[in-house]
Amino acid sequence: MRTTVAVVNGPGEEFAFEEVEIDGPRADEVLVRIVATGLCHTDLSLRDTLPTEMFPRVFGHEGAGVVEEVGADVTGVSVGDHVVLSLASCRECARCRDGRAGYCEQTLMLNYMGFRMDGSTSYARESGPVYGHFFGQSSFAQHAVALASSVVVVDPELDLTRVAPYGCGFMAGSGSVLNVARPAPGDSVVVYGVGAVGLAAVASARASGVGTVVAVDLQPSRLEAAEKLGAIAVDPAGLGETTVVDKVKELTGGGATYGIETTAVPSVLKEAAQSLGVQGTLVVLGLDMSRPEFPVDAIDLLQNGKVVRGSVEGDSDPQEMVPRMLSLNAEGKFPVDDLVTTYPFTEINAAIADVLAGKVVKPVLVW
């Protein structure tokens, strides 16, 4: 069959709409008609940094839609199911069996290379194959062939335009708190960068009963959203001669128990670690491929027993974490619906401009 995709033909190029051929699902795959897809910074950063030989390519990894066809070996998913799409995993290696799907031994092949394990692609055009299978899905398309491990069945009454970001952005932020930090009510949590990922972390910290939650960002609109979720807002530009580190220590009684870092800005990451209290933990989620290293105050780290650790998708297994977040949302403890701004899919480049300018928190593209 033929379908329409938003394809990128080379590094850094704009998304262009094109009709391509899409094959049917293999035994371990599902064909999904995409209703909505969240726009994530990872889509943009890899568009700009992957080598030329990995294009043309279809990105998109926060898809939500309706199942149209199911492979012969797939269980638990039926035609007509409403689904959220997330990262792919083999579900067979020791890490997957231990619930650590984000660290699957086949992560690179299943999520980033652009083709199936046998080298084939689900999208093609007259000039040749179009790379897809991004995070097991490539959902910047009207139809996506997704690995079964990427598919999470959800209640058909849910608004798919609101739940699409649960497959990555909201899951990474929420998981960093609920799975990695696991704060107690008496702890303090500071989130650096309160875009969609950071705001999900703020909401989850409040859902955990944490009394002191601090949000650090330069965008007034994002700080306002964080305040609505129960955080204390800190704008570094408005501190005068006071440093972010000193302000955070003041607000947290000597230093944060946990920090969540989403910006990937090296100087911010260093400050985030410095603002921790004794034996505090910083969870790093942000990554800038053009700046893959960051500085650490070694004396502060060693003398105060601090921990700086990375996390893939908040150490989440989508099959468990997506339903968990949806349950919290239904209870009113994860109020992230208002963070979504919808755009017609044809306005993808406008959505990119708006999110980069800080005009919106989480753009969701709708067919």
Side-chain angles (χ1 to χ4, degrees):
M1 61 179 282
R2 297 186 66 81
T3 195
T4 300
V5 300
V7 65
V8 178
N9 287 302
E13 294 188 20
E14 287 197 341
F15 293 86
F17 288 92
E18 186 175 331
E19 193 174 76
V20 298
E21 293 287 339
I22 180 172
D23 63 9
R26 303 282 177 88
D28 59 348
E29 296 174 335
V30 175
L31 176 66
V32 179
R33 175 176 58 82
I34 301 296
V35 172
T37 307
L39 174 65
C40 178
H41 186 264
T42 302
D43 296 309
L44 306 182
S45 63
L46 291 183
R47 174 197 65 171
D48 296 339
T49 57
L50 287 177
T52 301
E53 57 268 23
M54 298 184 77
F55 291 87
R57 175 175 289 259
V58 180
F59 290 96
H61 62 285
E62 292 183 348
V66 181
V67 175
E68 291 197 339
E69 193 173 345
V70 176
D73 295 340
V74 176
T75 59
V77 182
S78 302
V79 172
D81 281 346
H82 288 213
V83 295
V84 168
L85 304 182
S86 188
L87 63 91
S89 58
C90 74
R91 312 303 295 182
E92 296 177 351
C93 69
R95 298 171 193 170
C96 283
R97 293 196 305 271
D98 195 35
R100 297 180 293 157
Y103 304 98
C104 172
E105 294 175 7
Q106 300 296 333
T107 287
L108 183 63
M109 290 296 299
L110 295 178
N111 291 282
Y112 298 106
M113 296 306 294
F115 43 78
R116 298 181 175 99
M117 295 290 282
D118 65 1
S120 65
T121 65
S122 56
Y123 297 124
R125 57 189 182 187
E126 287 186 9
S127 58
V130 176
Y131 294 115
H133 306 278
F134 190 56
F135 279 64
Q137 56 184 282
S138 283
S139 53
F140 284 171
Q142 282 188 315
H143 295 85
V145 171
L147 269 174
S149 63
S150 296
V151 178
V152 183
V153 179
V154 299
D155 186 335
E157 297 299 317
L158 293 172
D159 181 353
L160 292 176
T161 66
R162 298 291 165 181
V163 301
Y166 283 63
C168 179
F170 290 169
M171 182 170 69
S174 182
S176 70
V177 174
L178 300 181
N179 298 330
V180 183
R182 300 186 181 185
D187 293 333
S188 55
V189 175
V190 183
V191 182
Y192 296 84
V194 283
V197 174
L199 289 169
V202 168
S204 296
R206 295 295 290 152
S208 299
V210 175
T212 303
V213 182
V214 181
V216 182
D217 203 295
L218 291 168
Q219 291 282 355
S221 59
R222 293 180 176 180
L223 290 174
E224 182 180 347
E227 287 183 315
K228 289 180 180 178
L229 292 172
I232 302 168
V234 172
D235 181 353
L239 294 180
E241 298 195 9
T242 302
T243 67
V244 171
V245 173
D246 288 340
K247 186 62 177 179
V248 169
K249 287 187 174 181
E250 173 192 329
L251 294 171
T252 58
T257 317
Y258 298 100
I260 310 296
E261 210 294 316
T262 75
T263 72
V265 176
S267 60
V268 174
L269 205 146
K270 182 178 180 180
E271 290 178 333
Q274 289 173 325
S275 63
L276 294 171
V278 173
Q279 293 188 307
T281 297
L282 178 65
V283 183
V284 181
L285 299 176
L287 174 63
D288 182 346
M289 296 295 289
S290 66
R291 296 183 293 184
E293 297 180 354
F294 55 82
V296 174
D297 184 336
I299 295 175
D300 175 61
L301 187 77
L302 294 170
Q303 288 187 342
N304 293 291
K306 297 180 180 182
V307 175
V308 178
R309 61 152 296 181
S311 175
V312 175
E313 292 290 359
D315 286 18
S316 302
D317 180 343
Q319 302 297 332
E320 184 275 333
M321 194 63 192
V322 171
R324 185 179 180 188
M325 290 185 292
L326 291 172
S327 178
L328 286 171
N329 179 266
E331 296 171 11
K333 296 179 180 179
F334 190 61
V336 294
D337 292 2
D338 291 343
L339 304 181
V340 169
T341 302
T342 58
Y343 293 78
F345 228 113
T346 52
E347 296 182 13
I348 183 172
N349 292 310
I352 292 169
D354 285 352
V355 74
L356 292 178
K359 294 181 180 179
V360 298
V361 174
K362 171 52 73 172
V364 171
L365 307 166
V366 182
W367 286 105

